[in-house]
Amino acid sequence: MIRLLTALVCLWHMLSAAPSAAHELRPAYLDIRETATGDFAIVWKTPALGEMRLGLYVRLPETCSPKGEAINSLEAGGYFERWTARCPGGLKGRTLTIDGLRTSLTDVLVRLANADGSTQVARLTPETPSLAVTASQTTFEVAKTYFMLGVEHILIGFDHLMFVLALMLLIRDRWMLLTTITAFTLAHSITLAGAALGYLSLPQKPVEAAIALSIAFVASELARSRPGQRRTSESYPWLVAFAFGLLHGFGFAGALKEIGLPQTDVPLALLTFNLGVEAGQLLFVAAVLLAIKAVTAMVRIPLQPVRHATTYLIGTMSMFWLVTRIESFWS
């Protein structure tokens, strides 16, 4: 029991630190738009904690020179720099680099929109901190980039993962779990596609608060579950997953809207981003199942107290997220 309590305390600290740790894990974002031949408007967003920002800096090709002073601001946990640059001959065939990325723990999403309508989206990592700008991306490059973005987004989306974990605790039958996860997938795929393509729209801050509330609801159902009594959520978990999955899809769409979709490969980018989300989700489910199997094989402890403790931990964290997200309405 002492080991169990120690593990739960450690997990609590990890989850409590999640909002601040996410500043380091959340990708930086570089948006470059060609406004006229050789002229580029640049927006550089780096994660920030208070007034402290990550030491990441954009290094454009040597042929580029800034036009005027950069405008800096702190907005919603991010440090923004906005400026314009003159790059005679454009950026195609040249290389841009993110200084400081090699020693960081984050990635950088880069989106380059040319005046001719072509776009290039890339994900830079500490291992590959430079981008060679091309005339156009291949289909495989687009698919790979958006697939990895989808995987990354779900794996650092602690709230989405907590919802999936709560569903796993609610459902004992493996076939019903598969059906429920499929319903969740189908639902958020619908709203993700609709919102990303501009057919559906909800304000992002209320959506994030409602996502926290959805986790609290499932945790509440878990806490009130009794042997021999089946609540509606236990009899029809796929219905609960589908209903809240529609909501979670708007959360995924918020990230995808920030990245943007390449004009020439919208269906492919949307499909592979969603497949990446599902791949990350399945990785999480598999990891949890393997961890449970490993722990129960090594340590003989009753699972019911662990299940109850995890339920209350999820419920507490969801309410914490709910309060902080509602508070952000006025910030």
Side-chain angles (χ1 to χ4, degrees), residues 54 60 63 110 128 202 222 227 234 246 251 257 268 277 284 302 316:
L54 288 183
L60 296 174
T63 54
V110 181
T128 55
L202 283 178
L222 274 167
E234 293 176 294
L246 294 173
K257 278 184 177 179
L268 176 64
V277 168
F284 174 74
T316 301

Side-chain angles (χ1 to χ4, degrees), residues 24 44 46-47 52-57 98-101 103-104:
E24 175 71 8
W44 173 229
T46 54
M52 296 177 60
R53 52 155 291 184
L54 288 183
L56 303 177
Y57 304 93
I98 306 300
D99 289 334
L101 185 57
T103 57
S104 75

